[in-house]
Amino acid sequence: MKTLSIDVRRAEPHDARAISETHRLAWQHTYAGIIPHRALTQMIERRGENWWRRATRGPATLLVLDVAGTVAGYATLGLNRARALPQEGEIYELYLRPEYQGIGLGRMLFGEARRLLKSLGCNGLVVWCLEENETASRFYRHHGGIDFCEGMENFDQKQLKKIGFIWN
């Protein structure tokens, strides 16, 4: 019998290609029909392998969800960028490849990201998601997030509402 290894770990520069592919697949799956096609394509193309390699060395922490040697998801996190909010930590992104969604791995990655922020001394947490991303909104509500504030994002002349979920 084989044992399947599942681990959340800090990303390394050698993970850049796999993170780039995970990002592309997750964003196409998540935002097709929400973000205009041209804007979405440009956002994905800007984040190629080299961008992710630099991100592994950047100021934000980049975690990967490793399932038997495959990067199945990633999360970026750090200090809260919305200074008007008292929460000190922020998860900037949390995405899984489509074939790994809905089986509890997002919960695992989210939990590890929260634990890491807490271990770094961050009190409270904020996560932003587009209102039309019902899967993410449901996920954050299910995991105790409070729909606390709203903002707007502009994507190629299309204004989309985003929701700020908080945890204290």
Side-chain angles (χ1 to χ4, degrees), residues 28-122:
Q28 286 172 338
H29 176 78
T30 301
Y31 297 119
I34 297 174
I35 295 175
H37 178 75
R38 185 174 70 172
L40 179 57
T41 300
Q42 289 171 345
M43 291 169 71
I44 291 169
E45 287 175 356
R46 278 195 302 265
R47 289 186 171 195
E49 183 177 346
N50 289 333
W51 191 95
W52 287 104
R53 188 170 290 108
R54 286 188 303 276
T56 64
R57 299 180 185 109
T61 299
L62 176 54
L63 298 176
V64 292
L65 173 68
D66 185 312
V67 177
T70 297
V71 172
Y74 71 92
T76 59
L77 52 130
L79 296 176
N80 175 12
R81 298 171 291 183
R83 297 293 174 218
L85 297 176
Q87 289 72 26
E88 295 174 346
E90 181 176 355
I91 297 176
Y92 309 129
E93 295 181 83
L94 191 144
Y95 292 97
L96 299 179
R97 294 172 72 105
E99 65 268 28
Y100 290 95
Q101 294 177 12
I103 56 174
L105 296 174
R107 176 176 35 87
M108 181 181 187
L109 182 57
F110 181 66
E112 288 300 318
R114 287 182 70 183
R115 278 187 281 285
L116 180 56
L117 284 170
K118 190 169 186 71
S119 77
L120 295 173
C122 291

Side-chain angles (χ1 to χ4, degrees), residues 30-31 129-130 133-142 165:
T30 301
Y31 297 119
C129 75
L130 293 179
N133 184 350
E134 294 173 6
T135 301
S137 295
R138 215 174 18 257
F139 176 87
Y140 293 124
R141 283 187 184 100
H142 179 76
F165 289 92

